[in-house]
C-alpha cells in the first residue's frame, strides 16, 4: 500500500503529433496512468491538445485532476502551411508532407540526470543537448579522466596526479577530490552515474553556462575531445540585473544590504558555501575564529545552523553575532542570502566560496576576487581554474572534500571529522584576499577585466549572444 503522504510519480507524455491515432492512445494511456495514482503531463500542439483535453475531460474526476494537457505552438505559417495544419490528416497535398516534417523542429536541453530525455529526442528526431551546471574546464578535465584514467594509476587516494587537459596548465588532483562519477561502479549511486556518463556520450552536445572568453579555450577543447557541439551560453544569471526585489527576498535580505551600506568600498569579506554547503562543526569553529579575528568586516552565511552542536551555537552567539547592528564587524545570516545582490555591492571586496560553478560565475560577473574553499564534485577543479588559470583567487589550502553520501569514496580515511584547515591558515588566505598591495591589485584588475568580458559575451554580437542566436536559428 502506498502511504497517503507519498508524492505520486510524474509521467510526461509527448505523443507523435502527426496522427490522431497517436494522440488518442497516448492520452488514454495518460488517463490510465492517472487511474493508477500517477500525475501526468501531456505535451502536444494546440489542435491536438483540444483532442487530448476532450478525452481527459471524460475521465473520472479524480483522475482528470491529475492530468495536465500543455500545448506548445506549432509553426504552421512559418513552414508554409495553413494555420492549424498540425497533423498529417489536415494536409491537403503531397508537397505539404515535407513541409509538415520540416516544421517539426526543436531541441531538447536536458538536465544531466534526466537521461531518459535522449530516447525521447531520438523518437522525435530532434537533437538532445545536456546541461550539466559545470563549467567547460571541469567538463574537459572529466572527459580527460574518463578517457585516460590517471586516477587509477596512483597508489593512494591522496597521491596527486596531473590532468593536462588544458595545456600548458596541468590540473593537479587527488582521487579523493574527484567528482563521484569516478567512484568504483559498485559504490552508492555508481550505476546511476554510469548512466549519466552514457547519456553524455550518446547525446548531441552540451549547453554550458560559461562564455568562451572565460575558460581559456576549454569550450573548443571540450568540443574536440568529445567530438560534439559545445554551446557556451552564459553567464546565464546576467539575463537579469542583480536588483533587490523586496517582495521576493526573505527578510534577511534588507538586513544584509543595510549592513553593507554602512561599510567602506571593497572592505567586506562575504563568506558563503552555496545553497547547502555545511562544514563539520570543528572546521566551522576554525573558520569562525579566523573570521572574527581578521581585520575585515565579515558577512557570513551559515546553512544548517539549527543542527550545529550547542557549544558551537553558543560560540556563534557570543562571538560572531552582532545581529546586524550597523557598524558591527560581523553579520551572520542563518539561511538564504541574496548572493547576487551582495556580490554586486561596492562594499564587498572578497568572496570566500566553495567554488560552486554558479557562485564562481556570479563572482566573475561582479568582479569580486575569491578565497577558494572547495567542498566536492567539480569544485576542486574550479578552484584551480579560479586561482591558477584565471588568477582571481587565493586558495585556502583544503585538500580533502567534505564527506557526503555521494562523495563517500570508499577510500579509507575520507571522513574528516577533525578540522583540516586551522584558523591561522584561514586568516592567511583572508589577508591575501583582502590585500590591496601589488598582488591583490593584480587579482582585482583581472577580475575587472573578466567582468567586462562576461557582460560583453551576452551583449548583441558577443560570443554567448551569437551562440544562442545560432542555436535558435538552427531550428528556425
Ligand atoms: N545562493 C543564494 N543565497 C544563498 C546561497 C546560495 O542566492 O544563501 C545561490 C547562489 O547565488 C548561486 C546558487 O545559490 O546561484 C549556488 O550555486 P553554486 O553552483 O554556487 O553552488 P551549489 O549550491 O550548487 O553547491
Amino acid at each position: 500500500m502506498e502511504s497517503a503522504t507519498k508524492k505520486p510519480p510524474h509521467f510526461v507524455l509527448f505523443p507523435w503529433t502527426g496522427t490522431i491515432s497517436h494522440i488518442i492512445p497516448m492520452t488514454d494511456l495518460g488517463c490510465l496512468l492517472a487511474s493508477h495514482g500517477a500525475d501526468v503531463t501531456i505535451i502536444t500542439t494546440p489542435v491536438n491538445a483540444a483532442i487530448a483535453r476532450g478525452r481527459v475531460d471524460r475521465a473520472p474526476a479524480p483522475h482528470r485532476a491529475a492530468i495536465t494537457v500543455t500545448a506548445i505552438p506549432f509553426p504552421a505559417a512559418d513552414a508554409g502551411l495553413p494555420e492549424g495544419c498540425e497533423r498529417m490528416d489536415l494536409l491537403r497535398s503531397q508537397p505539404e508532407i515535407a513541409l509538415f516534417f520540416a516544421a517539426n523542429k526543436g531541441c531538447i536541453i536536458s538536465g544531466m540526470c534526466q537521461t531518459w530525455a535522449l530516447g525521447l529526442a531520438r523518437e522525435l528526431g530532434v537533437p538532445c543537448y545536456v546541461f550539466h551546471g559545470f563549467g567547460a574546464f571541469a567538463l574537459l578535465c572529466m572527459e580527460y579522466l574518463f578517457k585516460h584514467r590517471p586516477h587509477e594509476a596512483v597508489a593512494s587516494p591522496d597521491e596527486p596526479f596531473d590532468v593536462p587537459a588544458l595545456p600548458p596548465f596541468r590540473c593537479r588532483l587527488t582521487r579523493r577530490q574527484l567528482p563521484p562519477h569516478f567512484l568504483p561502479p559498485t559504490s552508492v549511486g555508481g550505476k546511476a552515474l554510469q548512466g549519466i556518463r552514457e547519456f553524455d556520450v550518446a547525446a548531441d552536445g552540451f549547453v554550458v553556462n560559461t562564455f568562451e572568453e572565460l575558460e581559456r579555450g576549454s569550450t573548443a577543447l571540450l568540443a574536440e575531445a568529445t567530438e560534439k557541439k559545445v554551446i557556451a551560453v552564459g553567464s546565464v544569471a546576467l539575463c537579469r540585473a542583480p536588483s533587490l526585489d523586496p517582495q521576493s527576498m526573505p527578510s534577511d535580505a534588507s538586513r544584509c544590504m543595510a549592513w553593507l551600506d554602512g561599510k567602506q568600498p571593497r572592505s567586506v569579506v562575504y563568506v558563503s558555501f552555496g545553497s547547502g554547503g555545511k562544514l563539520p562543526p570543528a572546521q566551522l569553529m576554525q573558520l569562525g575564529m579566523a573570521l572574527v579575528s581578521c581585520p575585515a568586516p565579515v558577512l557570513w552565511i551559515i546553512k544548517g545552523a539549527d543542527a550545529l552542536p550547542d557549544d558551537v551555537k553558543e560560540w556563534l552567539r557570543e562571538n560572531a553575532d552582532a545581529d546586524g547592528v550597523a557598524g558591527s564587524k560581523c553579520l551572520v545570516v542563518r539561511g538564504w542570502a541574496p548572493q547576487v545582490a551582495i556580490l554586486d555591492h561596492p562594499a564587498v571586496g572578497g568572496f570566500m566560496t566553495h567554488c560552486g560553478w554558479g557562485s564562481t560565475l556570479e563572482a566573475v560577473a561582479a568582479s569580486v576576487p575569491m578565497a577558494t574553499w572547495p567542498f566536492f564534485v567539480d569544485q576542486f577543479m574550479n578552484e584551480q581554474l579560479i586561482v591558477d588559470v584565471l588568477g582571481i583567487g587565493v586558495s585556502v589550502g583544503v585538500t580533502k572534500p567534505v564527506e557526503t553520501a555521494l562523495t563517500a569514496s570508499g577510500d579509507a580515511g575520507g571522513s574528516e571529522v577533525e578540522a583540516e584547515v586551522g584558523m591561522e591558515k584561514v586568516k592567511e588566505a583572508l589577508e591575501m584576499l583582502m590585500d590591496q598591495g601589488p598582488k591583490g591589485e593584480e587579482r582585482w584588475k583581472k577580475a575587472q577585466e573578466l567582468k567586462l568580458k562576461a557582460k560583453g559575451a551576452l551583449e548583441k554580437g558577443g560570443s554567448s549572444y551569437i551562440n544562442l542566436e545560432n542555436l535558435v536559428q538552427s531550428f528556425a
Side-chain angles (χ1 to χ4, degrees), residues 239-321:
C239 72
R240 67 180 60 81
S243 62
L244 243 196
D245 173 9
Q247 251 67 47
S248 62
M249 291 292 175
S251 62
D252 277 334
S254 45
R255 207 158 60 99
C256 289
M257 302 319 282
W259 183 85
L260 286 171
D261 286 344
K263 301 291 180 241
Q264 295 295 319
R266 278 179 70 179
S267 66
V268 172
V269 182
Y270 167 58
V271 182
S272 181
F273 300 124
S275 53
K278 296 173 201 135
L279 287 173
Q283 184 61 80
L284 184 99
M285 283 294 294
Q286 293 298 316
L287 168 64
M289 288 190 294
L291 294 179
V292 296
S293 64
C294 82
V298 173
L299 173 49
W300 184 13
I301 317 303
I302 303 181
K303 297 284 185 289
D306 289 347
L308 286 169
D310 287 343
D311 57 333
V312 178
K313 278 188 191 156
E314 199 178 315
W315 183 90
L316 279 173
R317 252 193 315 274
E318 283 174 6
N319 296 279
D321 252 342

Side-chain angles (χ1 to χ4, degrees), residues 154-201:
V154 289
S156 91
D158 294 308
E159 187 180 331
F161 53 85
D162 281 340
V163 182
L166 180 64
F169 174 70
R170 302 177 88 77
C171 189
R172 279 231 111 180
L173 293 166
T174 67
R175 196 159 64 217
R176 207 193 285 288
Q177 295 169 344
L178 296 185
H181 305 65
F182 301 97
L183 293 177
T186 46
S187 351
V188 184
K191 208 161 166 245
L193 288 160
Q194 204 178 326
I196 290 170
R197 171 65 181 165
E198 284 160 12
F199 181 35
D200 274 359
V201 170

